Amino acid sequence: MHQIASTTHIEGHFESSAAVRDVVIGLSDGLTVPFALAAGLSGAVSSAHIIVLAGLAEIAAGSIAMGLGGYLAARGDAEHYASELAREQEEVVTRPDDEAEEIYEIFSQYQVPREAAAPVLAALQANHPAYVDFMMRFELGLEKPAPNRAHRSAITIAASYIAGGLVPLLPYMLVRAPYMRNGGDILISPLIQSTAAALNLSVLITLLALAFFGAIKGRLLGTGAFRSALQTTLIGGAAAAAAYSLARLLNAHT
């Protein structure tokens, strides 16, 4: 007698889309905006200290603004859900016929006839919380927000922005003048001696970071690692190139 091996089917869907969205928002802006700012300033000033200070100020302001934006967006979603939930809870009681007709319309979208949907409707009507939840999901397309979603969103976006923003600034932080002896001989020659060298290194590591981040995002969201990496890199590189060119142009006419 042969035994039939049973295997458990595991769904491969990614379920942390909200958290990934926050990381994507924070990192993509964090890598792109300070990168473009530093590149633009490199075309106008030669002081790495000024570029670093301006970059850090932008990261601080940007992370606060982005985090606040994420918080307000998540709070808005939660308030909208609560408002619609209260309305739906009232309508399933005060307008049962209209709500029943909406159930039939939902099932008709999936080619389910009224006769087949009637027992499901009866079961939902006997379970008020399930009935309301079904209508919220399939009529309005609303999912219940996770507890403390607004705070987590704000922190995630702000932290991701800071992490991304420090990447293009790192080479400018390492700019140092050569250490000289009293006789004028170079004692220690640092790796990065000028903003031009810092800009080149910043471009390299930021484009690599954008490509790596885009690839990870594409793998997680199922949109293709190579396509996402290429798209993210091109957008970030174009923003920095535009800022650098504009700064050089304005500096040449002042």
Side-chain angles (χ1 to χ4, degrees), residues 73 101 107-108 132 184 196 215 227-229 231:
E101 193 61 35
F107 278 106
S108 69
V132 173
R227 177 184 176 184
S228 179
Q231 183 183 53

Side-chain angles (χ1 to χ4, degrees), residues 52-71:
V52 170
L53 288 180
L56 291 177
E58 196 288 323
I59 290 174
S63 62
I64 293 172
M66 294 290 292
L68 180 60
Y71 175 83

Side-chain angles (χ1 to χ4, degrees), residues 32-95:
T32 304
V33 177
F35 179 35
L37 173 65
L41 288 175
S42 297
V45 300
S46 59
S47 172
H49 182 66
I50 292 177
I51 295 174
V52 170
L53 288 180
L56 291 177
E58 196 288 323
I59 290 174
S63 62
I64 293 172
M66 294 290 292
L68 180 60
Y71 175 83
L72 293 176
R75 278 294 301 270
D77 290 343
E79 291 171 356
H80 175 62
Y81 182 89
S83 174
E84 292 296 330
L85 178 63
R87 185 179 65 83
E88 202 63 44
Q89 288 173 334
E90 178 183 357
E91 288 184 350
V92 296
V93 175
T94 60
R95 301 173 59 182

Side-chain angles (χ1 to χ4, degrees), residues 142-168:
L142 297 176
E143 295 284 344
K144 183 178 181 180
N148 297 321
R149 165 73 185 133
H151 294 88
R152 290 204 302 270
S153 178
I155 293 172
T156 302
I157 292 176
S160 299
Y161 191 95
I162 293 171
L166 290 175
V167 171

Side-chain angles (χ1 to χ4, degrees), residues 20-41:
V20 170
R21 181 188 64 186
D22 291 340
V23 172
V24 167
I25 291 172
L27 268 180
S28 59
D29 279 13
L31 283 168
T32 304
V33 177
F35 179 35
L37 173 65
L41 288 175

